[in-house]
Amino acid sequence: MILTGLSRRRFIGATSSAAAAAMLINVGDAGTAVAATGQSPEPHAWKGRKSRNGWPVLAQAPSHRIEGSGQEVRLAGGDASVILLHVARRFHYEIDSLRAGDVHGWTAHADGTEPYESNYASGSALAIRPLCYPSGSKGNFYPNELVVVRDILSELDGTVAWGGDFEAAKESHFELTLRPGHPRLKGVARKIQGWQAGPGNHGAGATDAFDPRRRKAARAFERRTAS
């Protein structure tokens, strides 16, 4: 049984059994890697005191509510949670409703096949539906969904990177790119907090990613940041 793109999302949304999740893991993460390399990837434990993006590894991380979804995710506090929760909210409002178990954040055991997955241990990254968008699999988003993803990245001014742009792709992955206290990180967090405190005309739930001006800005940002 091979599930890709929308069929994976429908399968997850329609079923909550452990057997279904196990099936998706088998045909997703492991199956993709086996097809690409001929063998399953070997997870490795991150040993550093800081994650790959320079954030300190945490023994615990607080749980944060994702507005409008009824879901929660563990993340580092302060600017990290402000920015990453904005990503999750926009996904929920503009791509697809988040369900129980869709969003993964901080973990005490940063075992992964790629160094960037260590960022979960510092609470400075999250994965949205990692079973639907597993490591090594690309092309899982429809064009209109990619418009939203690109708009989010542009709006956040390079403070967040998307795993779909990585050489070792993971389209469920979003991570902070700047170290704690960086002026641009703080500025983007203040901007989001201003939207939340304002009349509701800006921010998640009030954004039109398809506005021609936003499309132009997002395309320019993508070209500017392309490796």
Side-chain angles (χ1 to χ4, degrees), residues 98-168:
L98 296 173
R99 305 176 183 90
D102 276 351
V103 188
H104 300 234
W106 171 85
T107 176
H109 305 288
D111 296 335
T113 58
E114 298 298 331
Y116 64 75
E117 292 178 298
S118 67
N119 299 331
Y120 300 126
S122 61
S124 61
L126 55 74
I128 301 177
R129 294 185 175 163
L131 298 181
C132 296
Y133 318 122
S135 299
S137 176
K138 298 196 71 171
N140 296 294
F141 284 91
Y142 287 111
N144 62 310
E145 296 171 338
L146 280 174
V147 168
V148 176
V149 171
R150 293 297 175 194
D151 187 74
I152 293 170
L153 298 176
S154 173
E155 179 177 68
L156 296 180
D157 195 21
T159 59
V160 170
W162 176 47
D165 289 329
F166 298 170
E167 183 176 355

Side-chain angles (χ1 to χ4, degrees), residues 11-25 100 131:
F11 188 87
I12 286 288
T15 245
S16 60
S17 70
M23 182 183 297
L24 280 177
I25 291 172
L131 298 181

